[in-house]
C-alpha cells in the first residue's frame, strides 16, 4: 500500500492505484467523462484534473499514479475553474437537445453540468446544430452531433469485444467517431452487441427505437399482439425505475406489460427450456457420433455473427438450435396459432430483450418457421422502460402478476440462461439425468458460475467425460477459440455469450454511469437475482417443465424430431 493525503486527509491505498481510484477509496468520486474503470483511462477529457503538491500543472487523475507521501487536492478553486472551462468548451460543441434526448436525465454530461453549477456557456456554439445520424445497422443509431469524443465506445468495441469496427476518424476539429473510411456500420463486421451504447455517456449512441411499431400493433384491432420477456429483463428493468441493481421485478414487469395492452404476456424462459431439450439432444447425438465437437451454444446472436465473420471454421460446431427468442416466436406462429385458431399473419410477436443483437437476429434468414418472420419486433429492456413511462404506469407500485399459462411456465434452469454459464448449467442438469438415468442431486454447478471471462470444468456422466468451457465477452471468446484451434484445449461442450457476464450485461440493459460501473459489479448483482429465483423454485430442470412436455406430446413429437427441426432449428452462413 501507499500512504498519501487527499484533501488533507491521510489515506492508505493499494500501490499502483491512480489518483481517481485512490479518491474512490476515501469516498470521493472525481468527475470524469472519458474514464471507465478497467477499460478506458486515457486522460483525454481533462475533467478529472486535480492538484498534486509539487506538480507544475493540474494532472489528469485517471492516469496519474499515486506515490508514497503524495498530497492531492480534488476540489480547489483552481481545479473547479479548470473543470468548468473544459466543460464549457465541450458544451460549446455539443448539440444540447436535452428536452428530446433519449438520455435526458441519465446523461453523464447533463449531470456534470448540473453538478458543477454550469450557469452559462461563454463560448459561441461551434458544433453541429443538426443531427449527424448514422443508422444503417438494424440495432443502433449514432448521432455524432452529441458525441463528446470520450472514446469509451471505441475501447468497448476493441478491448472488450475485440472487433474494433469503430475508431476516431480525421484529426483536429474534424475528429469524429466512425468506421474505417467512414463506411456505414452495416458494411463493416460489427456484431451488433451494443456494448458501445452501454458505455456512452451521452445520447450519441442509442439502440434503434422500435417502440413505434409496437404502439401501432397494439392499436391495430386486426392484430393479436403477444409479448415475452428474456431471462435477464426481470433482473434489469427495475433500474429504469430507480430500484437497486439486482432487484428481480418479474411480477411487476408482467403487470406492466398487461397494462400496456398485450393480449398475452409470455416468458421467453419457456422457450429456453425447449432450447435445452433440443440442444441437449443434439449434444448427446454428437457425443455418440464423436462429430463436430465441441458443440457450441447458439443463443447469443452477437456471438453467432462474430463466428460467421471471424471464425467460420467453427460454424459446424455451433448448435443448430434457434435462440430461445426465435423458438418462442416460431412456436407462437405455429403451435400457438394452431391451438388458438388464429392465422399466423395476424399474430404480432414482440420480444423484450436485454440485447441489441436480437434486433438483427429477427431479420436473419431461416428464422420464419410459419412462413412469416418468427418475431416481428425485438425491444430492449430500455425501450420497454420508455413505453411503461409513456403510458403513465406506476411501475414501482404495481402488484406482482403471473405470466399467462399457455407459454408462461419456466424452470429455474431457464431463468439462469441470462448469466454467463447459465445455459451450460441448465443443459447439464438435463443431459446428466438423461445419461445417468438417475435424478441429479447437486443442481448448483458452481464451477461454471461467476463473472470470470473463461471458466472450465469436467463432468463425469456415467463414465462419459464431458469437458466444458464457458466464455463471455468476445475478447475472452476469441482466446478460448484460439486455444481450441491450436489443439491446446479440448472440450465437448462450450457456451459462448457475446456480452461480458452474459445477457444480464447485454447491450440493451439499463445504462449505469461510469462511477457506478466502477464501484460495483453490475453483472454479478443482476445474475444474483436470477440465481436466487432458481434456488427458490421446485421446478429447476427444463425436462420437468409440464408446458414443455405438453408441447412435445401435442405438437413436436420428441426433441430432435423432423417437426422440431423445421420449427426450432436454423442455419448459418460463412
Ligand atoms: Fe439472453 Fe437467451 S439468455 S440470449 O442471454 O438464450 O438476449 O436474458 O433472451 O434468446 O432465454 C438475451 C437473456 C435471452 C435467448 C434466452
Amino acid at each position: 500500500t501507499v500512504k498519501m493525503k487527499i484533501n488533507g486527509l491521510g489515506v492508505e491505498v493499494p500501490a499502483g492505484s491512480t489518483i481517481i481510484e485512490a479518491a474512490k477509496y476515501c469516498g470521493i468520486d472525481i468527475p470524469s467523462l472519458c474514464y471507465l474503470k478497467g477499460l478506458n483511462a486515457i486522460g483525454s477529457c481533462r475533467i478529472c484534473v486535480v492538484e498534486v503538491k509539487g506538480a507544475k500543472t493540474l494532472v489528469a487523475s485517471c492516469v496519474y499514479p499515486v506515490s508514497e507521501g503524495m498530497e492531492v487536492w480534488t476540489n480547489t478553486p483552481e481545479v473547479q475553474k479548470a473543470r468548468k472551462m473544459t466543460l464549457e468548451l465541450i458544451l460549446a460543441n455539443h448539440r444540447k437537445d436535452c428536452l428530446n434526448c433519449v438520455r435526458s436525465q441519465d446523461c453523464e454530461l447533463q449531470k456534470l453540468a448540473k453538478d458543477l453549477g454550469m450557469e452559462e456557456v461563454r463560448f459561441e456554439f461551434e458544433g453541429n446544430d443538426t443531427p449527424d445520424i448514422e443508422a444503417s445497422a438494424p440495432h443502433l443509431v449514432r448521432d455524432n452531433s452529441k458525441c463528446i469524443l470520450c472514446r469509451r465506445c471505441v475501447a468497448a468495441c476493441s478491448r472488450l469485444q475485440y472487433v474494433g469496427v469503430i475508431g476516431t476518424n480525421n484529426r483536429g476539429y474534424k475528429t469524429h467517431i466512425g468506421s474505417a473510411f467512414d463506411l456505414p456500420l452495416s458494411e463493416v463486421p460489427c456484431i451488433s452487441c451494443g456494448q458501445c451504447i452501454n458505455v456512452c455517456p451521452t445520447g450519441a449512441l442509442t439502440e434503434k427505437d422500435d417502440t413505434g411499431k409496437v404502439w401501432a400493433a397494439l392499436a391495430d384491432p386486426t392484430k393479436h399482439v403477444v409479448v415475452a420477456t428474456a431471462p435477464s429483463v426481470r433482473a434489469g428493468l427495475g433500474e429504469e425505475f430507480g430500484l437497486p441493481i439486482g432487484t428481480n421485478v418479474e411480477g411487476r414487469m408482467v403487470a406492466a406489460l398487461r397494462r400496456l395492452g398485450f393480449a398475452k404476456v409470455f416468458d421467453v424462459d419457456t422457450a429456453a427450456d425447449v432450447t435445452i431439450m433440443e440442444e441437449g439432444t443434439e449434444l448427446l447425438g454428437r457425443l455418440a457420433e464423436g462429430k463436430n465437437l465441441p458443440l457450441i451454444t447458439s443463443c447469443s446472436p452477437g456471438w453467432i455473427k462474430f463466428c460467421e465473420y471471424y471464425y467460420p471454421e467453427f460454424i459446424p460446431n455451433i448448435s443448430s438450435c434457434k435462440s430461445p427468442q426465435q423458438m418462442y416466436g416460431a412456436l407462437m406462429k405455429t403451435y400457438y396459432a394452431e391451438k388458438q385458431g388464429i392465422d399466423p399473419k395476424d399474430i404480432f410477436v414482440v420480444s423484450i430483450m436485454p440485447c441489441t443483437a436480437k434486433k438483427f437476429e429477427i431479420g436473419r434468414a431461416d428464422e420464419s418457421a410459419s412462413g412469416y418472420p418468427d418475431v416481428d419486433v425485438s425491444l430492449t429492456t430500455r425501450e420497454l422502460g420508455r413505453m411503461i413511462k409513456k403510458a403513465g404506469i406506476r411501475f414501482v407500485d404495481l402488484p406482482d402478476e403471473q405470466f399467462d399459462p399457455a407459454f408462461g411456465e419456466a424452470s429455474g434452469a431457464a431463468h439462469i440462461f441470462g448469466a454467463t454459464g447459465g445455459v451450460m448449467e441448465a443443459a447439464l442438469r438435463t443431459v446428466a439425468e438423461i445419461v445417468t438415468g438417475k435424478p441429479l442431486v447437486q443442481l448448483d454447478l458452481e464451477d461454471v458460475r461467476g463473472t470470470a471471462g473463461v471458466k472450465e470444468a469436467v463432468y463425469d456422466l456415467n463414465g462419459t467425460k464431458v469437458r466444458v468451457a464457458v466464455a463471455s465477452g468476445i475478447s475472452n471468446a476469441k482466446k478460448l477459440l484460439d486455444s481450441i484451434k491450436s489443439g491446446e484445449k479440448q472440450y465437448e461442450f462450450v457456451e459462448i455469450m457475446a456480452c461480458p457476464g452474459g445477457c444480464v450485461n447485454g447491450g440493451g440493459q439499463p445504462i449505469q454511469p461510469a462511477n457506478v460501473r466502477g464501484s460495483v459489479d453490475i453483472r454479478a448483482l443482476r445474475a444474483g437475482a436470477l440465481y436466487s429465483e432458481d434456488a427458490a423454485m421446485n421446478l429447476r430442470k427444463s425436462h420437468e417443465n409440464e408446458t414443455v412436455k405438453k408441447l412435445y406430446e401435442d405438437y413436436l413429437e420428441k426433441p430432435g424430431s423432423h417437426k422440431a427441426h423445421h420449427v426450432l432449428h436454423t442455419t448459418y452462413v460463412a
Side-chain angles (χ1 to χ4, degrees):
T1 59
V2 162
K3 287 198 181 86
M4 61 181 294
K5 279 187 176 174
I6 298 182
N7 300 341
L9 292 172
V11 289
E12 204 170 324
V13 299
S17 304
T18 54
I19 294 174
I20 206 168
E21 288 164 354
K24 218 176 209 347
Y25 290 115
C26 54
I28 297 170
D29 273 344
I30 296 176
S32 168
L33 288 170
C34 65
Y35 174 68
L36 207 52
K37 189 180 170 196
L39 193 61
N40 203 39
I42 55 174
S44 82
C45 76
R46 313 300 296 176
I47 292 289
C48 74
V49 289
V50 295
E51 263 184 73
V52 173
K53 189 176 180 183
K56 289 198 185 92
T57 56
L58 298 178
V59 304
S61 63
C62 69
V63 287
Y64 206 92
V66 298
S67 55
E68 189 67 27
M70 180 184 257
E71 290 185 46
V72 173
W73 290 271
T74 66
N75 209 20
T76 61
E78 200 187 335
V79 165
Q80 288 188 10
K81 196 172 148 206
R83 284 186 190 150
K84 207 165 173 181
M85 167 72 88
T86 306
L87 188 56
E88 276 183 273
L89 289 168
I90 294 171
L91 291 173
N93 203 27
H94 179 80
R95 188 165 68 85
K96 291 175 280 300
D97 166 39
C98 301
L99 218 53
N100 303 317
C101 183
V102 68
R103 291 293 301 277
S104 192
Q105 297 184 26
D106 78 25
C107 168
E108 292 183 46
L109 181 64
Q110 190 184 46
K111 181 174 184 302
L112 190 65
K114 186 155 180 272
D115 290 352
L116 298 193
M118 184 63 60
E119 284 153 10
E120 52 158 0
V121 176
R122 288 167 294 169
F123 310 115
E124 212 172 296
F125 181 71
E126 287 205 351
N128 238 343
D129 59 2
T130 50
D132 181 3
I133 302 286
E134 204 301 282
S136 60
H139 69 291
L140 177 137
V141 177
R142 184 194 306 125
D143 181 351
N144 270 340
S145 69
K146 293 181 184 172
C147 174
I148 57 168
L149 294 174
C150 68
R151 294 160 172 79
R152 288 192 202 167
C153 56
V154 175
C157 190
S158 56
R159 297 188 57 196
L160 272 185
Q161 300 297 65
Y162 174 78
V163 293
V165 293
I166 48 171
T168 41
N169 290 345
N170 263 324
R171 290 294 175 264
Y173 275 131
K174 291 190 176 153
T175 307
H176 63 274
I177 302 297
S179 298
F181 309 109
D182 280 321
L183 280 171
L185 201 57
S186 59
E187 290 178 27
V188 297
C190 164
I191 60 164
S192 303
C193 68
Q195 287 297 314
C196 54
I197 302 174
N198 283 11
V199 297
C200 180
T202 70
L205 294 174
T206 57
E207 69 270 87
K208 200 169 262 180
D209 190 310
D210 289 312
T211 57
K213 296 177 195 165
V214 179
W215 289 118
L218 287 169
D220 182 345
T222 67
K223 293 287 176 209
H224 180 79
V225 190
V226 298
V227 68
T229 56
S232 300
V233 177
R234 70 209 71 198
L237 182 62
E239 293 164 40
E240 289 290 322
F241 301 92
L243 293 171
I245 301 171
T247 308
N248 188 329
V249 294
E250 181 178 303
R252 284 179 277 193
M253 174 182 77
V254 172
L257 289 165
R258 223 163 253 140
R259 280 153 185 74
L260 283 171
F262 290 98
K264 295 286 177 193
V265 182
F266 291 140
D267 199 352
V268 169
D269 301 25
T270 308
D273 278 329
V274 180
T275 305
I276 292 302
M277 302 309 294
E278 293 297 318
E279 202 164 280
T281 306
E282 198 177 8
L283 176 64
L284 291 170
R286 291 201 198 179
L287 285 172
E289 288 182 12
K291 255 174 72 182
N292 293 335
L293 292 169
L295 173 70
I296 311 182
T297 57
S298 57
C299 344
S300 164
W303 143 243
I304 296 296
K305 227 176 162 184
F306 177 76
C307 184
E308 289 177 330
Y309 280 142
Y310 299 84
Y311 283 83
E313 63 273 33
F314 280 99
I315 289 177
N317 296 78
I318 301 179
S319 161
S320 65
C321 289
K322 288 180 180 175
S323 75
Q325 164 178 273
Q326 297 302 120
M327 288 197 182
Y328 144 71
L331 289 166
M332 285 296 115
K333 293 192 183 180
T334 55
Y335 172 63
Y336 175 79
E338 204 174 295
K339 281 205 124 188
Q340 299 288 314
I342 308 175
D343 187 329
K345 84 168 173 18
D346 297 326
I347 300 182
F348 193 87
V349 175
V350 179
S351 68
I352 314 291
M353 291 280 139
C355 176
T356 48
K358 294 280 175 192
K359 288 180 185 286
F360 154 78
E361 186 182 44
I362 63 172
R364 282 187 66 101
D366 200 10
E367 301 277 359
S368 31
S370 65
Y372 301 98
D374 293 336
V375 177
D376 293 289
V377 174
S378 182
L379 299 181
T380 60
T381 309
R382 295 189 292 264
E383 286 170 284
L384 173 60
R386 296 204 288 274
M387 286 187 78
I388 294 170
K389 287 173 192 164
K390 196 171 196 176
I393 294 166
R394 293 203 317 275
F395 184 82
V396 174
D397 300 333
L398 290 176
D400 286 337
E401 292 184 8
Q402 309 263 323
F403 288 107
D404 283 306
F407 209 79
E409 183 191 19
S411 72
H415 296 323
I416 61 172
F417 259 57
T420 165
V423 181
M424 176 64 69
E425 183 168 342
L428 289 170
R429 285 183 193 175
T430 288
V431 169
E433 288 204 359
I434 294 172
V435 174
T436 63
K438 288 188 233 138
L440 192 66
V441 187
Q442 178 49 269
L443 293 183
D444 298 340
L445 305 180
E446 297 291 344
D447 292 339
V448 292
R449 293 188 179 188
T451 53
V454 178
K455 296 167 276 187
E456 290 180 300
V458 181
Y459 297 99
D460 184 353
L461 308 180
N462 245 9
T464 309
K465 202 162 78 163
V466 180
R467 293 164 294 184
V468 307
V470 171
S472 70
I474 291 296
S475 292
N476 296 318
K478 180 190 179 317
K479 276 185 222 143
L480 179 65
L481 293 172
D482 286 342
S483 72
I484 297 171
K485 218 169 132 172
S486 69
E488 181 198 339
K489 298 277 186 179
Q490 282 101 32
Y491 305 102
E492 278 71 42
F493 192 20
V494 168
E495 177 201 296
I496 296 181
M497 287 289 177
C499 294
C503 297
V504 285
N505 187 35
Q509 286 286 65
I511 294 175
Q512 290 293 346
N515 64 335
V516 173
R517 290 174 70 103
S519 309
V520 295
D521 187 347
I522 54 179
R523 303 165 305 175
L525 291 173
R526 290 175 184 159
L530 301 180
Y531 284 116
S532 310
E533 184 171 6
D534 166 48
M537 292 181 73
N538 291 325
L539 174 61
R540 297 186 67 194
K541 301 168 197 162
S542 300
H543 57 284
E544 291 177 355
N545 181 336
E546 292 300 328
T547 304
V548 172
K549 285 188 200 167
K550 195 163 168 1
L551 168 70
Y552 280 103
E553 276 163 30
D554 285 3
Y555 192 69
L556 294 172
E557 295 151 22
K558 62 178 180 110
S561 71
H562 185 70
K563 194 156 187 184
H565 265 271
H566 170 68
V567 178
L568 305 176
H569 291 248
T570 188
T571 45
Y572 308 105
V573 283

